[in-house]
Amino acid sequence: MLALAAPSAARAQTPAAGGTTPTAISLLPGDVIRVQIWREEDLSGEFQVAEDGSVVLPLLGRRSVSGISTERLREQLTEEYDQYLVNPSVNVTLLRRITVLGEVRLPGNYMVDATVSVAQLIAQAQGVTPDGDIDKLQLLRAGRVVRGDLPSTSLLTEAGIRSGDQVMVGKRSWLARNLTSVVGLLSIASNVASVIIITSR
C-alpha cells in the first residue's frame, strides 16, 4: 500500500512572492476534503484534516496529507484504491471552514470550496447588509488582523485564507449610510432659507 508523502516543514511554511504561501493551495489542519469515488458511496464522504495533518479514510486508514495539493492527493488515492477497486474514479475537493462576521445578513461559520472568491464566500452569508461595504474587508487569524485590505475579487487561495480564519465586513462611512437623511435636511434647510429671504423682502 502506498503512503501519502508529507511535505517538508520548509515547503509548508516558506512564504512565496506576493504574500501567497504554498500551503494556501494545499491541505492544512482544519480543512475538510470531500472525496467522491464513482459508484462507491460507502467510500465517499467528507473527512476533516486533524491537527497533526492526518485524515482517516475508508479502507486506507490514517494518512498524512498536510501540504499536499488536491490534485496530488487525488492521484495517490486513485493508486491506493486501485488495490481494492476496478479502475477507481476519484475526485477530491478541498473545503475550508471560514467564519464571516460584521455587516453580513447571516454571520456564521461556512465550509466552502477553497477555489471560490471572497465575494462568493460573502454571498454564502446572504451578502452584505444595507450598512455593509464590500470594499471594507479584513482577514483575521487568531484574533489578529492579518490583512486590512482584503479584495473581494480574490480567490480564497490567492488571499491565503485558511480554515479557522475570519472575514470581517466593515460598515460604509457615516455619510454614505445617512446620505438620504442628509440630503433631506439640506433640502429642508434650503427651503427654510428661501422662505426667510422672501419674508424679509
Side-chain angles (χ1 to χ4, degrees), residues 50-108:
E51 287 300 316
D52 63 359
S54 67
V55 65
V56 178
L57 300 168
L59 286 182
L60 305 182
R62 187 174 297 277
R63 291 288 181 271
S64 178
V65 298
S66 183
I68 298 175
S69 69
T70 53
E71 179 57 26
R72 179 58 181 151
L73 180 59
R74 185 194 66 78
E75 293 172 354
Q76 294 184 348
L77 291 184
T78 301
E79 292 175 359
E80 291 212 34
Y81 278 120
D82 190 54
Q83 301 178 55
Y84 304 96
L85 308 172
V86 178
N87 297 323
S89 176
V90 181
N91 184 56
V92 176
T93 303
L94 169 58
L95 305 175
R96 295 221 150 124
R97 297 176 180 272
I98 304 164
T99 303
V100 184
L101 301 172
E103 295 300 320
V104 291
R105 298 181 187 277
L106 194 62

Side-chain angles (χ1 to χ4, degrees), residues 116-123 137 150-156 159 161 167:
V116 304
S117 68
V118 176
Q120 288 172 307
L121 168 65
I122 294 173
L137 304 178
L150 185 63
S152 62
T153 55
S154 292
L155 301 181
L156 302 187
I161 297 177
V167 173

